[in-house]
């Protein structure tokens, strides 16, 4: 099931990075895979039902506050809830902090490129405006950064 989780995370990175959205089908696939892993006792991190459900509730509820005030999209919140099923509650804070750091770096680089247009294509890619269309930049792909932080967690472990 580790491979299934990794493929789900990689798909999220590509989809959110390109489209700046996480489709419901992708979130539901992650939830279904996590539930199957739990039911068949194939959970890659040894997370049990109680911790998985608590992780999902904490991740979803914590990010829902940010969505409620317009700081992130609903797809990011739903993805976080699905991710909580996989990871449980313990690694959520370090994953969220790492993802937030990546999102902040993304934003700072985009702002710097707006001020000093040294790399217009990179600025366009960071803005989330495919082909330069749209009146305003799309949000930072937080779900992609959550997925990247999770992969780093998977490789380095809790102490890494």
């Amino acid at each position: 099931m580790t491979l299934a989780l990794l493929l789900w995370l990689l798909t999220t990175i590509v989809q959110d990075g390109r489209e700046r959205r996480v489709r419901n089908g992708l979130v539901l696939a992650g939830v279904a895979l996590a539930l199957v892993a739990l039911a068949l006792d194939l959970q890659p991190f040894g997370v049990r039902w109680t911790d998985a459900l608590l992780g999902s509730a904490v991740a979803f509820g914590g990010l829902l506050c940010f969505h409620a005030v317009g700081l992130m999209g609903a797809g990011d919140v739903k993805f976080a809830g699905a991710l909580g099923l996989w990871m449980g509650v313990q690694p959520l804070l370090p994953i969220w902090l790492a993802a937030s750091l990546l999102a902040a770096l993304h934003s700072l680089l985009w702002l710097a490129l707006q001020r000093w247009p040294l790399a217009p294509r990179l600025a366009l890619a960071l803005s989330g405006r495919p082909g330069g269309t749209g009146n305003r930049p799309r949000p930072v792909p937080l779900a992609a950064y959550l997925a990247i932080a999770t992969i780093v967690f998977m490789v380095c472990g809790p102490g890494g």
Side-chain angles (χ1 to χ4, degrees):
M1 280 308 231
T2 303
L3 181 60
L5 172 59
L6 183 60
L7 289 173
W8 179 65
L9 293 170
L10 292 172
T11 303
T12 300
I13 292 167
V14 170
Q15 186 177 93
D16 197 30
R18 293 182 76 185
E19 300 177 22
R20 294 302 196 274
R21 65 182 299 198
V22 181
R23 296 186 186 277
N24 288 335
L26 184 59
V27 172
L28 290 174
V31 168
L33 288 168
L35 292 174
V36 167
L38 286 162
L40 299 178
D41 201 25
L42 297 173
Q43 216 289 335
F45 305 105
V47 173
R48 299 287 173 224
W49 280 98
T50 305
D51 194 37
L53 294 174
L54 182 60
S56 181
V58 166
F60 184 85
L63 294 187
L64 185 60
C65 298
F66 293 100
H67 173 67
V69 296
L71 294 175
M72 75 176 48
D76 297 325
V77 178
K78 292 181 276 187
F79 174 80
L83 186 62
L85 276 177
W86 280 104
M87 304 307 293
V89 78
Q90 182 119 10
L92 289 179
L93 183 60
I95 288 171
W96 181 74
L97 289 173
S100 296
L101 179 62
L102 291 171
L105 292 172
H106 176 117
S107 298
L108 290 173
L109 181 58
W110 180 76
L111 288 171
L113 289 171
Q114 293 302 300
R115 186 171 177 111
W116 302 287
L118 301 173
R121 283 190 171 175
L122 179 58
L124 181 62
L126 290 171
S127 74
R129 287 185 261 178
T133 61
N135 293 332
R136 66 182 181 93
R138 303 211 53 208
V140 171
L142 183 64
Y145 291 132
L146 286 167
I148 291 168
T150 302
I151 292 170
V152 170
F153 178 86
M154 290 171 67
V155 170
C156 297

